[in-house]
Amino acid sequence: MPSDIRPLRILVASSEAVPFAKTGGLADVAGALPRELAKLGHDVVLVIPRYRGIDRAGYAFKPMFRFEMALPDGMRDVVIEEAVMQEPGSAGAVRVLAVRYDPFFDRPELYQQNGSDYPDNLERFSLFSRAVIQVASYLAEHDGWDTQVLHLNDWQTSLCAVYLKTTESRRKELQGIKTALTIHNLGYQGMFEGNQLLKTGLPPTLFSPAGLEFYGSTNLLKGGILFADLLTTVSPTYAQEITTQEFGFGLDGVIRQRAARLFGVTNGIDVAVWDPMRDPHIAARYSGRDLGGKYRCKQALQEELGLPVKDVPALGVVSRLTSQKGLDLLADIIPELMEWDLQLIVLGTGEPEYEARLRALQGRYRDRMGLRIGFDDALAHRIEAGADMFVMPSRYEPCGLSQLYSLRYGTIPIVRKTGGLADTVVPYSPKNVKAGRATGFHFEQPSSSALLNAICLALMVYRDRSTWETIMTAGMKTDVSWERSARQYSKLFESLFE
């Protein structure tokens, strides 16, 4: 254990976590950060819902304890099951507890089906949050494991902070728990009709501007922001942005009230999984010292997507196909891009409008544009390895992970200067290149013309192989590991007890 670490007992609650359940970046954080905190010497337990697909992760969950919970339609049995992510006592070992209540969690998807949210999501995640409190109570009374930090993630677990300071505040075994809430994306707040607050078991007095009321609705994330002891979000720039009207989604005033307790910690990635020297998904291995394998990866990617195998700039995109990700900005300029001698490769799924638009464009430019609609993790690795540039024109991006994968794989990111993209990509300039700092390209305005100008600049620099490889290797040397981020979280958690 590092000598500067004060070991803590940390209970992490998340609605998804790799490798058990995933819809987005939250799962990557909740799967990796607990292991990294454990490697630093903390004792970490992760709590997730027991979704239908959880067994596909290959871990054997066994019943640990059960309890009764009062729901609006009567008492219901909830079972807590347990597995271990690694062998007990090994570095990074984390106990994983799953909240089993099949009527709520044994479903095809996590939050929605056929593009529509489950209508009982409030009841589902109220139950999950109450079950997390029961887990903390059980661990204290039966295992002698008193939770010191309860780490919450997004609106699905925000109610835990509210329960601890209201309905559960007198329970002796829960005294002294400090709560930290990480906001992964402020655009998702857990908003429901105002009269549904009663379904949470919270008193009606909390339906007020000083509580969970939000323009006549019940807002779960607002409750977490107000009641948590510590707030974090996933990059320093995003922490500043969400205090503004432009990025605050109506909660900027509430967040400004808590600004003194808000901190930005940039996400990391699993550098063992995303490693061009060991990646089993790619055609050839390579490193910053020997880039030859990257060019073989490019040829293999061209063959896989049915594109001509030739040495032209290859631009990669792996993204949710939504306006937040700026896919309309990209689609607007594809006809102009296709006039140049380059290739564009897109992988993603999202809004039907953008899927249809990209399919139509790919139909027009089959020899220059490759497209796969859907989610394919192995292909995502091959795009990161085979592309020369990676395009991320997000309107807002709390942190972003793809640009971190790109840095690791020597694929130069072209990003909008926002959130974590601004924090993790050092923009091209002759001065930054000379200093060995430049790792990519920025553009500021969320417009098609600004994106096109950034791509044009990147294509110009691409012609100078010496400069291009200097930028590539600078990115590959960047520390994008979770260890760096975990140390920052550790210091913040420790500060709760100073």
Side-chain angles (χ1 to χ4, degrees):
M1 180 191 306
S3 59
D4 60 336
I5 299 295
R6 169 186 173 177
L8 298 169
R9 291 180 295 279
I10 304 170
L11 184 62
V12 179
S14 178
S15 59
E16 55 184 86
V18 169
F20 306 101
K22 175 177 177 176
T23 64
L26 165 60
D28 295 296
V29 176
L33 179 58
R35 294 199 302 271
E36 291 297 330
L37 289 170
K39 288 177 185 177
L40 291 177
H42 300 294
D43 193 353
V44 186
V45 176
L46 171 65
V47 189
I48 57 175
R50 199 192 199 293
Y51 298 113
R52 178 179 296 177
I54 202 172
D55 291 324
R56 290 197 292 267
Y59 292 84
F61 281 87
K62 299 178 181 178
M64 179 181 178
F65 73 97
R66 67 175 59 236
F67 61 94
E68 284 194 330
M69 181 179 293
L71 298 182
D73 58 349
M75 302 298 291
R76 294 290 182 269
D77 276 345
V78 178
V79 178
I80 305 299
E81 299 181 349
E82 180 180 18
V84 179
M85 220 186 291
Q86 293 184 31
E87 288 300 313
S90 66
V94 173
R95 295 168 67 190
V96 183
L97 307 184
V99 176
R100 182 163 197 163
Y101 183 65
D102 288 348
F104 280 179
F105 301 120
D106 185 16
R107 299 184 182 182
E109 304 294 339
L110 274 58
Y111 312 122
Q112 56 177 228
Q113 192 170 3
N114 300 323
S116 298
D117 289 349
Y118 290 123
D120 59 350
N121 273 347
L122 177 64
E123 294 96 311
R124 297 173 74 224
F125 292 103
S126 296
L127 178 140
F128 177 60
S129 295
R130 293 170 67 188
V132 170
I133 303 299
Q134 287 299 117
V135 165
S137 174
Y138 180 91
L139 292 175
E141 292 189 329
H142 295 269
D143 289 7
W145 198 92
D146 297 310
T147 301
Q148 292 174 287
V149 177
L150 176 54
H151 183 203
L152 310 174
N153 293 274
D154 277 351
W155 70 264
Q156 293 93 338
T157 54
S158 287
L159 284 180
C160 293
V162 185
Y163 289 134
L164 279 176
K165 291 190 176 176
T166 56
T167 58
E168 309 295 335
S169 62
R170 296 185 180 182
R171 292 176 64 169
K172 191 174 181 180
E173 73 278 13
L174 302 175
Q175 300 300 311
I177 294 177
K178 301 293 186 181
T179 53
L181 170 65
T182 296
I183 302 167
H184 296 263
N185 189 333
L186 193 63
Y188 301 95
Q189 299 180 6
M191 283 198 288
F192 304 90
E193 292 181 7
N195 58 11
Q196 293 198 36
L197 177 70
L198 296 177
K199 294 181 179 179
T200 66
L202 292 169
T205 53
L206 285 177
F207 189 72
S208 71
L212 280 68
E213 188 268 337
F214 183 76
Y215 298 102
S217 298
T218 293
N219 187 317
L220 303 193
L221 185 62
K222 180 187 177 188
I225 292 169
L226 289 172
F227 283 84
D229 298 304
L230 175 75
L231 302 174
T232 73
T233 191
V234 291
S235 70
T237 294
Y238 192 60
Q240 297 172 4
E241 289 176 342
I242 61 176
T243 65
T244 69
Q245 190 172 4
E246 180 182 0
F247 295 98
F249 287 93
L251 286 177
D252 48 291
V254 178
I255 294 170
R256 286 195 295 271
Q257 292 179 34
R258 304 296 320 280
R261 304 300 299 154
L262 172 65
F263 302 88
V265 180
T266 305
N267 284 340
I269 62 172
D270 189 330
V271 293
V273 172
W274 293 91
D275 181 358
M277 290 192 67
R278 294 184 290 177
D279 194 331
H281 301 297
I282 64 178
R285 313 293 184 263
Y286 63 93
S287 69
R289 294 181 178 178
D290 181 4
L291 293 168
K294 182 166 179 63
Y295 305 111
R296 293 195 293 276
C297 288
K298 180 176 179 177
Q299 294 169 348
L301 181 64
Q302 291 170 327
E303 291 176 356
E304 181 176 358
L305 274 296
L307 296 170
V309 177
K310 59 180 184 177
D311 187 15
V312 297
L315 283 64
V317 178
V318 180
S319 176
R320 282 188 292 114
L321 307 180
T322 65
S323 59
Q324 183 229 313
K325 298 294 184 179
L327 263 293
D328 56 323
L329 307 182
L330 176 64
D332 286 346
I333 64 171
I334 286 176
E336 190 162 353
L337 290 177
M338 294 296 98
E339 295 178 6
W340 304 339
D341 195 13
L342 57 76
Q343 294 172 347
L344 174 66
I345 297 166
V346 180
L347 168 66
T349 183
E351 297 172 13
E353 169 193 351
Y354 296 115
E355 292 184 2
R357 191 173 177 188
L358 289 170
R359 281 193 176 102
L361 287 163
Q362 196 267 338
R364 288 169 55 188
Y365 305 108
R366 292 187 183 279
D367 62 335
R368 298 196 174 191
M369 181 176 174
L371 174 66
R372 291 286 175 84
I373 299 295
F375 175 75
D376 186 333
D377 185 59
L379 179 56
H381 281 248
R382 291 192 288 275
I383 291 173
E384 291 288 7
D388 297 298
M389 311 168 199
F390 197 92
V391 183
M392 294 184 71
S394 304
R395 282 185 163 79
Y396 74 94
E397 192 67 62
C399 178
L401 296 174
S402 292
Q403 84 280 11
L404 303 181
Y405 304 148
S406 299
L407 293 173
R408 183 92 166 129
Y409 280 67
T411 301
I412 295 179
I414 303 169
V415 303
R416 177 157 183 256
K417 187 180 178 182
T418 184
L421 302 179
D423 291 329
T424 55
V425 177
V426 179
Y428 165 85
S429 71
K431 181 179 179 180
N432 282 343
V433 172
K434 186 175 182 180
R437 296 182 63 247
T439 59
F441 296 84
H442 284 181
F443 66 99
E444 295 201 16
Q445 295 302 316
S447 68
S448 297
S449 59
L451 170 60
L452 185 62
N453 288 338
I455 293 175
C456 288
L457 176 60
L459 292 171
M460 289 175 59
V461 177
Y462 178 82
R463 297 172 189 163
D464 180 348
R465 296 307 303 174
S466 175
T467 298
W468 192 258
E469 291 190 2
T470 297
I471 299 172
M472 288 172 67
T473 54
M476 296 179 80
K477 292 176 182 176
T478 302
D479 182 3
V480 294
S481 71
W482 264 113
E483 180 182 358
R484 166 189 49 79
S485 304
R487 285 184 172 274
Q488 294 180 59
Y489 273 103
S490 180
K491 292 298 182 186
L492 289 172
F493 292 165
E494 291 172 43
S495 74
L496 290 168
F497 300 93
E498 293 173 356

